[in-house]
Amino acid sequence: MNDILHTQMIDIGQRAKTAALALVRLNFAQRNAILSAFADTILANKAEILRVNQQELDEHHHDLTLAMQNRLALDSKKITNIIESLQALIRIDDPLAGRDQEWQAAAGFKILKKIVPLGVVAMIYEARPNVTIDAAALAIKSANAVILRGGKEAIQTNSLLAHILRETISKLGYNPDMVQLISDSSHASVDELLHARSFVDVLIPRGSRQFINHVVENASVPVIETGAGNDHIFVDESADQQQAIGIILNAKTQSPAVCNAAEKLLIHKNIAKEFLPKIVSALKAAGVEIRADAQALQLDPTLIPASAEDWDIEYNDLIMAIHIVDSLDEAISWISKHTTHHTEAILTQDPAHAAAFMNDIDAAVVMLNASTRFTDGFEFGFGSEIGISTQKLHARGPMGLKALTSYKYEVFGHGETRK
C-alpha cells in the first residue's frame, strides 16, 4: 500500500464528510444558486477549457482509440450542452422535497419517513470531461458531496473543470470540498476508493465492461453498477421499413462511442431479403462496418463474417453486427442471452408483438419504435444523469437526482417506553 496516497485519500474522505454535512444544511435556493454560478463560470472560462482540452487531446492522440478521442474531446457545442444541462437541472424540483409519509404508531409516537441525500458519492470514470460537471451538479442539487476520479487521459481537463467548480463554490461562501477531484490517476487510487467504507456512501463507476466488473467484484463500498451497452434493435416483420432505417442510422451513427448506441441488429427472416439490402446500403454510406451471421451472408456475401465473440462485444465504434431471426420469440431469446441489460428496442407495427417484447425483455430501458440514443437523463427530463444503471436495486436506467437520495425515519415521542 502507498502510505502517502492512503493518507491523502483519508484526508479527501474526511473533508468530503465535512462538506456533506454543510451541504445538507443548504436550502433549495442556495443549492440552485451554486448550479447557476457553475453555468456562468463555465461560459466565462470556455476558451481556456477548450484550449486545455485540445492540448490534452493532441498529447494523447496516438494512444487513444477513435471512441476514446470522441469521449475526451470538448467543443463549443458540448460546452453549450453542458450549460443547457445545468440550466435544465436548476428547473427541476427539489429531490429532497415532496410529501413525506407520516403516521402514528400504536404506542403513540409519530413516525416521519424523510427523503435524505446519500452523503458522499464517489465517481470513477474514463474520459468524458462533461461527467465532471454533471456529477458535481447532480450531487450538489441533491445535497451530496462528490469525490471524482477521472481517467489519466483527461486529467488536465478534469483538473481545470474541478478548479473552476471549487473556486465558484468558494466565492459563494461555501465549502469547496463539496467537489473534490483525485489527482492521482494510478490504479492504486481506484483501489483506495473501492475500500473507503468510512467515507464513501456509494460508488458509481463508468467505463468499459471490464472496468465496471473489476469495481463490482472488488469493492467493499456499496456500488451502483452502470453498464456497458450491448444494445440490440429488432426489426419485426411488420416494421415500417423506411422509419426503421432512420431509427437504426440514428442509433448507430449519431454518437457511436456511447453506451446507448445500438451495436446489434436483428432482422425477422420474413423481411430479410427485402430489408437487408436497404439497411446495409444506408449503414455503409454512413461509414459503418457490418458483420453478419451465416443467413445474412447468404443474402449479401460482401459482408464480414461475424465471430462468436462479436455478439457480446460493445463496439463503441462505427461497427454493427446483423443476425437474422426466425421469430419474435427467437429475437427475445437471443437478446436475453447477449444483453447487458442496458437498452433494447423493437421496431414493429404489431401491438401484440410490441407488448410481448416490452414485457419479456429484461433491460433498464426497453423501446418501441424509437432510437436507443434516447436512453439519457437529459432526454428523460432528469436535467442530467450521473450514469445509467443496469442493476435492479435502488436505481435503474438513467440516474437523475432521485437516484442520489435515500430516506430515514424520524420518530417524535411523548415519553413512550416499550412494554
Side-chain angles (χ1 to χ4, degrees):
M1 179 184 292
N2 185 325
D3 292 338
I4 295 176
L5 176 61
H6 182 65
T7 300
Q8 291 174 341
M9 294 296 287
I10 290 176
D11 180 58
I12 288 172
Q14 290 173 335
R15 287 190 281 124
K17 293 293 270 190
T18 300
L21 180 59
L23 240 174
V24 80
R25 293 170 177 166
L26 299 186
N27 62 37
F28 182 54
Q30 290 172 316
R31 284 179 271 131
N32 265 347
I34 296 175
L35 268 58
S36 180
F38 281 176
D40 292 341
T41 310
I42 290 167
L43 182 59
N45 288 273
K46 175 180 174 180
E48 178 65 6
I49 293 169
L50 294 180
R51 185 192 68 77
V52 170
N53 180 254
Q54 185 59 54
Q55 175 181 308
E56 192 160 44
L57 194 61
D58 291 343
E59 288 178 6
H60 295 288
H61 178 77
H62 298 294
D63 304 323
L64 301 176
T65 64
L66 177 61
M68 286 295 286
Q69 290 177 44
N70 290 337
R71 291 175 183 176
L72 172 58
L74 292 175
D75 54 24
S76 292
K77 182 180 179 181
K78 287 184 179 180
I79 296 293
T80 298
N81 289 342
I82 289 171
I83 293 170
E84 289 176 348
S85 179
L86 286 167
Q87 292 168 340
L89 196 58
I90 290 168
R91 293 192 293 269
I92 293 177
D93 293 339
D94 187 356
L96 304 181
R99 295 188 61 180
D100 296 320
Q101 296 178 347
E102 62 177 82
W103 63 95
Q104 185 171 332
F109 53 79
K110 184 178 77 173
I111 302 171
L112 175 69
K113 184 179 181 181
K114 185 177 180 181
I115 302 170
V116 296
L118 293 173
V120 175
V121 177
M123 281 281 302
I124 307 176
Y125 54 104
E126 301 171 346
R128 289 205 186 101
N130 62 292
V131 173
T132 301
I133 308 296
D134 289 344
L138 283 161
I140 288 175
K141 175 89 176 193
S142 54
N144 292 283
V146 66
I147 298 173
L148 303 168
R149 196 282 190 187
K152 62 182 179 181
E153 69 284 340
I155 189 63
Q156 295 175 39
T157 306
N158 286 333
S159 294
L160 174 60
L161 292 173
H163 173 74
I164 289 171
L165 298 182
R166 287 173 56 84
E167 190 175 63
T168 301
I169 296 168
S170 292
K171 287 181 179 178
L172 291 174
Y174 302 127
N175 186 342
D177 291 334
M178 295 173 185
V179 178
Q180 295 184 80
L181 177 76
I182 296 171
S183 58
D184 185 288
S185 58
S186 68
H187 291 298
S189 64
V190 172
D191 292 336
E192 287 282 347
L193 269 183
L194 297 187
H195 302 289
R197 288 180 59 86
S198 299
F199 311 111
V200 174
D201 293 289
V202 67
L203 173 65
I204 304 173
R206 290 179 61 170
S208 67
R209 181 191 287 192
Q210 181 180 8
F211 169 68
I212 292 168
N213 286 343
H214 171 78
V215 171
V216 171
E217 292 167 5
N218 292 279
S220 59
V221 300
V223 175
I224 296 179
E225 183 177 354
T226 63
N230 187 30
D231 305 335
H232 299 75
I233 295 179
F234 169 48
V235 186
D236 192 26
E237 59 184 318
S238 67
D240 179 326
Q241 294 188 22
Q242 195 58 41
Q243 181 188 79
I245 291 170
I247 290 172
I248 295 163
L249 282 174
N250 179 263
K252 178 70 262 182
T253 68
Q254 198 257 351
S255 186
V258 295
C259 60
N260 58 18
E263 304 286 31
K264 307 300 183 296
L265 180 62
L266 308 184
I267 302 174
H268 196 291
K269 69 173 184 179
N270 291 350
I271 60 166
K273 187 174 182 180
E274 176 187 2
F275 183 70
L276 185 71
K278 297 178 184 177
I279 192 58
V280 165
S281 176
L283 287 170
K284 284 186 174 181
V288 178
E289 176 185 304
I290 302 171
R291 303 175 187 181
D293 70 358
Q295 286 182 273
L297 286 169
Q298 287 181 350
L299 295 172
D300 187 344
T302 68
L303 301 180
I304 299 170
S307 67
E309 291 74 24
D310 270 301
W311 307 115
D312 296 301
I313 293 174
E314 181 186 17
Y315 298 120
N316 290 135
D317 204 347
L318 287 172
I319 304 171
M320 195 171 213
I322 296 178
H323 176 59
I324 308 298
V325 296
D326 291 343
S327 65
L328 169 69
D329 286 344
E330 185 184 339
I332 293 172
S333 177
W334 179 273
I335 291 172
S336 298
K337 180 179 178 181
H338 298 284
T339 184
T340 52
H341 307 285
H342 190 292
T343 303
E344 308 295 357
I346 182 172
L347 310 183
T348 185
Q349 299 300 311
D350 186 322
H353 284 194
F357 188 93
M358 302 290 276
N359 182 73
D360 293 354
I361 291 295
D362 179 17
V365 180
V366 187
M367 294 192 161
L368 168 64
N369 296 329
S371 170
T372 58
R373 286 283 292 118
F374 284 113
T375 297
D376 176 84
F378 185 82
E379 295 291 345
F380 274 32
F382 300 161
S384 186
E385 70 182 24
I386 201 161
I388 298 174
S389 170
T390 55
Q391 66 183 34
K392 296 184 180 181
L393 297 179
H394 174 62
R396 200 176 197 199
M399 294 184 293
L401 296 167
K402 284 295 183 182
L404 298 180
T405 66
S406 183
Y407 55 85
K408 67 180 179 182
Y409 294 98
E410 296 181 347
V411 176
F412 300 87
H414 311 86
E416 291 87 355
T417 59
R418 186 167 181 175
K419 297 179 182 179

